[in-house]
Short mmCIF file of all heavy atoms in Angstrom, two decimals:
data_model
loop_
_atom_site.label_atom_id
_atom_site.label_comp_id
_atom_site.label_asym_id
_atom_site.label_seq_id
_atom_site.Cartn_x
_atom_site.Cartn_y
_atom_site.Cartn_z
N PHE A 53 -12.74 -15.93 28.72
CA PHE A 53 -11.88 -16.84 29.48
C PHE A 53 -10.47 -16.89 28.91
O PHE A 53 -9.50 -16.79 29.62
CB PHE A 53 -12.48 -18.25 29.52
CG PHE A 53 -13.74 -18.31 30.30
CD1 PHE A 53 -14.96 -18.52 29.68
CD2 PHE A 53 -13.73 -18.11 31.67
CE1 PHE A 53 -16.13 -18.53 30.41
CE2 PHE A 53 -14.91 -18.12 32.41
CZ PHE A 53 -16.11 -18.33 31.77
N CYS A 54 -10.37 -17.05 27.60
CA CYS A 54 -9.02 -17.26 27.06
C CYS A 54 -8.27 -15.96 26.82
O CYS A 54 -7.06 -15.91 26.88
CB CYS A 54 -9.07 -18.08 25.77
SG CYS A 54 -9.90 -17.29 24.39
N LEU A 164 -2.30 -29.45 39.22
CA LEU A 164 -3.31 -29.35 38.16
C LEU A 164 -4.47 -30.31 38.45
O LEU A 164 -4.27 -31.51 38.61
CB LEU A 164 -2.67 -29.69 36.81
CG LEU A 164 -3.60 -29.95 35.63
CD1 LEU A 164 -4.38 -28.69 35.24
CD2 LEU A 164 -2.82 -30.45 34.42
N ASP A 165 -5.66 -29.74 38.52
CA ASP A 165 -6.89 -30.53 38.57
C ASP A 165 -7.46 -30.54 37.17
O ASP A 165 -8.13 -29.59 36.76
CB ASP A 165 -7.91 -29.89 39.52
CG ASP A 165 -7.64 -30.23 40.96
OD1 ASP A 165 -7.83 -31.39 41.33
OD2 ASP A 165 -7.24 -29.31 41.71
N ARG A 166 -7.22 -31.60 36.43
CA ARG A 166 -7.56 -31.56 35.01
C ARG A 166 -9.05 -31.43 34.74
O ARG A 166 -9.47 -30.86 33.76
CB ARG A 166 -6.99 -32.80 34.30
CG ARG A 166 -5.50 -32.71 34.12
CD ARG A 166 -4.93 -34.02 33.70
NE ARG A 166 -5.01 -35.00 34.78
CZ ARG A 166 -4.59 -36.25 34.66
NH1 ARG A 166 -4.12 -36.69 33.53
NH2 ARG A 166 -4.68 -37.08 35.69
N ARG A 168 -11.13 -29.61 36.13
CA ARG A 168 -11.62 -28.23 36.20
C ARG A 168 -11.20 -27.40 34.98
O ARG A 168 -11.70 -26.31 34.76
CB ARG A 168 -11.06 -27.54 37.43
CG ARG A 168 -11.65 -28.05 38.74
CD ARG A 168 -11.08 -27.24 39.89
NE ARG A 168 -11.43 -27.84 41.16
CZ ARG A 168 -10.66 -27.80 42.24
NH1 ARG A 168 -9.49 -27.20 42.18
NH2 ARG A 168 -11.05 -28.36 43.36
N CYS A 169 -10.25 -27.89 34.23
CA CYS A 169 -9.65 -27.10 33.14
C CYS A 169 -10.66 -26.89 32.02
O CYS A 169 -11.36 -27.80 31.62
CB CYS A 169 -8.42 -27.84 32.63
SG CYS A 169 -7.75 -27.14 31.12
N ILE A 170 -10.75 -25.65 31.54
CA ILE A 170 -11.64 -25.38 30.41
C ILE A 170 -10.86 -25.17 29.11
O ILE A 170 -11.38 -24.65 28.14
CB ILE A 170 -12.53 -24.14 30.68
CG1 ILE A 170 -11.66 -22.91 30.95
CG2 ILE A 170 -13.48 -24.39 31.85
CD1 ILE A 170 -12.43 -21.61 30.86
N LEU A 171 -9.61 -25.55 29.11
CA LEU A 171 -8.79 -25.55 27.89
C LEU A 171 -8.72 -24.18 27.23
O LEU A 171 -8.90 -24.04 26.02
CB LEU A 171 -9.32 -26.59 26.89
CG LEU A 171 -9.39 -28.02 27.44
CD1 LEU A 171 -10.04 -28.93 26.41
CD2 LEU A 171 -8.01 -28.53 27.81
N CYS A 172 -8.47 -23.17 28.05
CA CYS A 172 -8.45 -21.81 27.51
C CYS A 172 -7.12 -21.48 26.87
O CYS A 172 -6.98 -20.46 26.21
CB CYS A 172 -8.77 -20.81 28.61
SG CYS A 172 -7.41 -20.65 29.78
N ASP A 173 -6.09 -22.29 27.13
CA ASP A 173 -4.78 -22.06 26.50
C ASP A 173 -4.03 -20.89 27.14
O ASP A 173 -3.04 -20.43 26.61
CB ASP A 173 -4.98 -21.82 24.99
CG ASP A 173 -3.70 -22.03 24.16
OD1 ASP A 173 -2.76 -22.63 24.68
OD2 ASP A 173 -3.68 -21.57 23.01
N ARG A 174 -4.48 -20.41 28.29
CA ARG A 174 -3.74 -19.30 28.90
C ARG A 174 -2.41 -19.78 29.47
O ARG A 174 -1.37 -19.17 29.23
CB ARG A 174 -4.55 -18.67 30.03
CG ARG A 174 -5.56 -17.64 29.58
CD ARG A 174 -6.12 -16.95 30.80
NE ARG A 174 -7.04 -15.88 30.41
CZ ARG A 174 -7.53 -15.01 31.29
NH1 ARG A 174 -7.20 -15.08 32.56
NH2 ARG A 174 -8.35 -14.06 30.88
N CYS A 175 -2.44 -20.86 30.24
CA CYS A 175 -1.20 -21.30 30.89
C CYS A 175 -0.19 -21.74 29.85
O CYS A 175 1.01 -21.43 29.96
CB CYS A 175 -1.49 -22.43 31.88
SG CYS A 175 -2.28 -23.86 31.15
N THR A 176 -0.66 -22.43 28.84
CA THR A 176 0.25 -22.94 27.82
C THR A 176 0.80 -21.79 26.96
O THR A 176 1.97 -21.80 26.58
CB THR A 176 -0.47 -23.98 26.96
OG1 THR A 176 -1.82 -23.57 26.77
CG2 THR A 176 -0.48 -25.33 27.63
N ILE A 188 4.74 -27.08 29.25
CA ILE A 188 3.39 -27.60 29.34
C ILE A 188 2.74 -27.43 27.98
O ILE A 188 3.05 -26.48 27.25
CB ILE A 188 2.53 -26.92 30.43
CG1 ILE A 188 2.68 -25.41 30.38
CG2 ILE A 188 2.87 -27.46 31.80
CD1 ILE A 188 1.76 -24.66 31.33
N PHE A 190 -0.93 -28.76 25.41
CA PHE A 190 -2.14 -29.57 25.30
C PHE A 190 -1.73 -30.96 24.86
O PHE A 190 -0.99 -31.12 23.88
CB PHE A 190 -3.11 -28.98 24.28
CG PHE A 190 -3.88 -27.82 24.81
CD1 PHE A 190 -4.09 -26.69 24.04
CD2 PHE A 190 -4.42 -27.85 26.09
CE1 PHE A 190 -4.81 -25.61 24.53
CE2 PHE A 190 -5.14 -26.78 26.59
CZ PHE A 190 -5.33 -25.66 25.81
N VAL A 199 -4.15 -30.35 29.70
CA VAL A 199 -2.85 -29.72 29.83
C VAL A 199 -1.94 -30.69 30.55
O VAL A 199 -2.36 -31.32 31.53
CB VAL A 199 -2.96 -28.42 30.66
CG1 VAL A 199 -1.59 -27.85 30.96
CG2 VAL A 199 -3.81 -27.40 29.91
N THR A 215 0.96 -18.83 35.96
CA THR A 215 -0.11 -19.60 35.32
C THR A 215 -1.25 -19.80 36.32
O THR A 215 -2.42 -19.83 35.94
CB THR A 215 0.39 -20.97 34.82
OG1 THR A 215 0.87 -21.74 35.92
CG2 THR A 215 1.49 -20.80 33.79
N ILE A 218 -3.30 -16.58 36.35
CA ILE A 218 -4.11 -16.25 35.16
C ILE A 218 -5.07 -17.36 34.77
O ILE A 218 -5.91 -17.15 33.90
CB ILE A 218 -3.24 -15.86 33.94
CG1 ILE A 218 -2.35 -17.03 33.52
CG2 ILE A 218 -2.45 -14.60 34.22
CD1 ILE A 218 -1.53 -16.73 32.26
N CYS A 219 -4.97 -18.54 35.35
CA CYS A 219 -5.93 -19.60 35.04
C CYS A 219 -7.32 -19.11 35.43
O CYS A 219 -7.54 -18.69 36.56
CB CYS A 219 -5.58 -20.87 35.82
SG CYS A 219 -6.76 -22.20 35.57
N PRO A 220 -8.26 -19.11 34.48
CA PRO A 220 -9.57 -18.52 34.79
C PRO A 220 -10.48 -19.47 35.58
O PRO A 220 -11.65 -19.15 35.81
CB PRO A 220 -10.15 -18.24 33.40
CG PRO A 220 -9.55 -19.28 32.53
CD PRO A 220 -8.17 -19.55 33.09
N VAL A 221 -9.96 -20.62 35.95
CA VAL A 221 -10.72 -21.56 36.78
C VAL A 221 -9.76 -22.06 37.86
O VAL A 221 -8.63 -21.60 37.94
CB VAL A 221 -11.26 -22.74 35.93
CG1 VAL A 221 -12.18 -22.23 34.84
CG2 VAL A 221 -10.13 -23.55 35.32
N GLY A 222 -10.19 -23.02 38.63
CA GLY A 222 -9.32 -23.52 39.70
C GLY A 222 -8.49 -24.71 39.30
O GLY A 222 -8.11 -25.52 40.13
N ALA A 223 -8.18 -24.81 37.99
CA ALA A 223 -7.44 -25.99 37.54
C ALA A 223 -6.00 -25.97 38.02
O ALA A 223 -5.41 -27.00 38.31
CB ALA A 223 -7.49 -26.09 36.02
N LEU A 224 -5.43 -24.79 38.10
CA LEU A 224 -4.04 -24.70 38.55
C LEU A 224 -4.01 -24.04 39.93
O LEU A 224 -4.58 -22.97 40.13
CB LEU A 224 -3.21 -23.86 37.56
CG LEU A 224 -3.10 -24.44 36.15
CD1 LEU A 224 -2.40 -23.46 35.23
CD2 LEU A 224 -2.36 -25.77 36.16
S1 SF4 C 801 -5.25 -25.11 33.25
FE1 SF4 C 801 -6.35 -23.18 33.46
S2 SF4 C 801 -5.13 -21.73 32.24
FE2 SF4 C 801 -4.51 -23.77 31.62
S3 SF4 C 801 -5.82 -24.24 29.85
FE3 SF4 C 801 -6.85 -25.08 31.67
S4 SF4 C 801 -8.25 -23.48 32.31
FE4 SF4 C 801 -6.78 -22.54 30.92
#
Side-chain angles (χ1 to χ4, degrees):
Chain A
F53 294 110
C54 65
L164 167 65
D165 279 290
R166 285 168 291 178
R168 289 183 190 147
C169 170
I170 59 165
L171 303 175
C172 72
D173 199 16
R174 276 189 176 189
C175 58
T176 37
I188 46 174
F190 281 138
V199 172
T215 61
I218 62 176
C219 177
V221 299
L224 297 174

